[in-house]
Amino acid sequence: MPRKGAPGAFREVSASGSHFEIGRSIGKQCRDMALRSEKRFRSWFRSPEFGLEKAVAYARRSMPATRQFYPGYMEELEGYAAGTGIKLDMVYAMSCDLSDRGRGRGCTDIVVNAEWTKDDCVLAAHNEDVSPYNIFDIAIARIRPKDEPGYLGMNYGGIWPTAGMNAAGICLTGNALVPNDTRVGIPKIVPCRKVLAESGIYQALKASMPEGRGHSFNNIVTDSNGEIYSMEGSATAFEALYAENGWLVHTNHYLSPKMWRFEENLHTRFSSIVRYNRATKLFKKELGKVEVSTFKRILSDHVGYPESICRHADPALDEEEQTQSIFSVVFDLTNRAAWVCYGNPCQGELRKYEL
Ligand SMILES: [Zn+2]
């Protein structure tokens, strides 16, 4: 439930030009968000063994690999540093996967191609399940680099895309995994951004799993032809799960037997298991008549409450450990539109945003 004083809709920001200009402009438009995240980030690294300086120095080690993999995004982060007034090293560290917090977190994703939808559209749906306070960190960003397709992203701080779709019909959704092989390497947010820079499924899949990564999301990559891949990654391995039947569901545990050995601790994945099976069962019944409102219904499901598909903060946990569905999004790749619900989908409404 949106907290008191919440605006009821996400901020919309936009920027175009060079990657640096984009970063600087977004930094100016989202400076308040960036400063709040910085403050929180600083508070996470107060131990004598792993203090802030160590964390920033540790993060910096992967910067050359990130720059080599996707220089455009490094330029966006440099611009963001300039626009927010936060040092680049800090912005970069905030882009990395340093914290152990939120291991019980995770999102639910459902993707379907045109053969099963009412209006022959390819649709990718996602619930974003994180700390309740993260609802204030999201901006809907329209980014138009001069050398790449423009994209609409659900971006943390306006700059870190957690889900998005671009003008070429490439969509990035997905969810967190907890692999046991994390290392110094390209942070998992960087492939998300690079997928949104690509124009074809081959390039997008390649962008989703760079060699030399330090961690990985399960990156769901979909194109407007209805090619749907769930890229189950760890730092050192991955499986490309293809939606053979034209649809797939993913939550926060490895489905591929090949990847089971990278699961850090399956005992922490019960919410994920419940959400996966529940979403699969509910969605099967809808095949052939799927439309945007179908996702609103399924993403609002409360079986397994409070760690259900529509997740609500468990008051028994402390604030940093709580999880809430802070938004739902349904990307219509065929019509290049995004339907976004602010806050829990059981309470809000989907609102349409054009690319
Ligand atoms: Zn709910």
Side-chain angles (χ1 to χ4, degrees):
M1 188 169 159
R3 288 182 181 183
K4 226 176 168 183
F10 291 110
R11 183 181 309 175
E12 291 178 65
V13 297
S14 62
S16 59
S18 73
H19 290 282
F20 184 86
E21 284 159 1
I22 286 168
R24 187 169 52 190
S25 170
I26 295 295
K28 283 183 180 161
Q29 296 172 68
C30 297
R31 185 159 183 269
D32 56 328
M33 293 179 177
L35 293 177
R36 269 202 313 274
S37 302
E38 187 201 10
K39 197 176 161 196
R40 206 181 299 136
F41 183 84
R42 285 175 179 275
S43 77
W44 289 341
F45 300 100
R46 283 196 178 136
S47 76
E49 307 86 62
F50 201 70
L52 188 67
E53 253 175 60
K54 265 194 187 160
V56 170
Y58 182 87
R60 202 189 294 131
R61 290 165 60 191
S62 67
M63 206 190 271
T66 297
R67 198 180 289 280
Q68 189 179 18
F69 171 58
Y70 187 17
Y73 193 43
M74 266 317 298
E75 287 160 27
E76 287 180 15
L77 295 177
E78 281 162 357
Y80 193 73
T84 57
I86 301 173
K87 283 193 174 122
L88 176 64
D89 277 356
M90 180 63 77
V91 167
Y92 187 77
M94 289 158 64
S95 314
C96 292
D97 325 298
L98 297 175
S99 168
D100 276 355
R101 279 166 183 80
R103 295 204 158 191
R105 302 273 151 78
C107 313
T108 302
D109 285 85
I110 310 170
V111 189
V112 63
N113 73 18
E115 70 185 285
W116 299 114
T117 54
K118 202 172 152 196
D119 299 321
D120 301 327
C121 297
V122 180
L123 300 172
H126 170 81
N127 260 10
E128 178 76 4
D129 303 344
V130 288
S131 290
Y133 57 70
N134 287 130
I135 195 165
F136 303 112
D137 300 338
I138 295 283
I140 298 179
R142 290 183 177 86
I143 307 290
R144 293 184 194 82
K146 58 178 188 201
D147 56 345
E148 288 167 2
Y151 81 91
L152 180 149
M154 304 299 297
N155 288 10
Y156 281 91
I159 200 80
W160 293 286
T162 186
M165 175 183 58
N166 74 17
I170 298 287
C171 177
L172 180 280
T173 48
N175 29 63
L177 294 165
V178 190
N180 57 17
D181 61 346
T182 57
R183 57 180 177 175
V184 173
I186 298 166
K188 61 185 177 178
I189 194 68
V190 180
C192 298
R193 173 67 186 87
K194 190 155 196 313
V195 166
L196 294 169
E198 303 296 351
S199 300
I201 191 71
Y202 162 74
Q203 292 82 356
L205 289 183
K206 225 175 131 185
S208 76
M209 265 322 131
E211 283 193 83
R213 62 192 178 276
H215 199 304
S216 185
F217 286 110
N218 172 60
N219 287 318
I220 300 182
V221 181
T222 308
D223 76 358
S224 50
N225 301 306
E227 294 300 308
I228 304 168
Y229 284 90
S230 192
M231 302 295 284
E232 271 195 331
S234 71
T236 58
F238 74 91
E239 178 76 290
L241 299 171
Y242 183 63
E244 276 176 51
N245 299 315
W247 63 284
L248 62 78
V249 171
H250 205 286
T251 54
N252 309 103
H253 57 288
Y254 289 103
L255 299 177
S256 162
K258 180 177 129 187
M259 297 302 291
W260 287 348
R261 69 190 176 94
F262 295 103
E263 187 73 69
E264 191 197 56
N265 183 359
L266 194 59
H267 298 85
T268 64
R269 308 283 93 186
F270 289 109
S271 163
S272 179
I273 291 165
V274 169
R275 286 180 285 114
Y276 173 76
N277 288 317
R278 183 72 185 160
T280 301
K281 179 168 127 182
L282 293 176
F283 195 66
K284 254 187 201 165
K285 295 183 199 160
E286 305 288 341
L287 292 173
K289 49 184 182 183
V290 177
E291 51 191 334
V292 170
S293 62
T294 309
F295 294 105
K296 168 85 162 64
R297 219 164 44 243
I298 297 175
L299 293 175
S300 298
D301 188 72
H302 284 151
V303 169
Y305 190 92
E307 308 298 352
S308 35
I309 294 174
C310 182
R311 299 181 80 167
H312 290 259
D314 182 347
L317 300 174
D318 73 53
E319 203 189 8
E320 283 285 358
E321 297 302 319
Q322 287 177 341
T323 306
Q324 185 198 337
S325 302
I326 61 163
F327 69 79
S328 297
V329 60
V330 183
F331 293 104
D332 176 344
L333 281 69
T334 309
N335 297 301
R336 306 281 201 273
W339 295 82
V340 178
C341 174
Y342 180 89
N344 281 100
C346 67
Q347 290 161 343
E349 290 305 322
L350 289 168
R351 209 175 125 187
K352 188 177 184 182
Y353 294 84
E354 308 277 356
L355 187 73

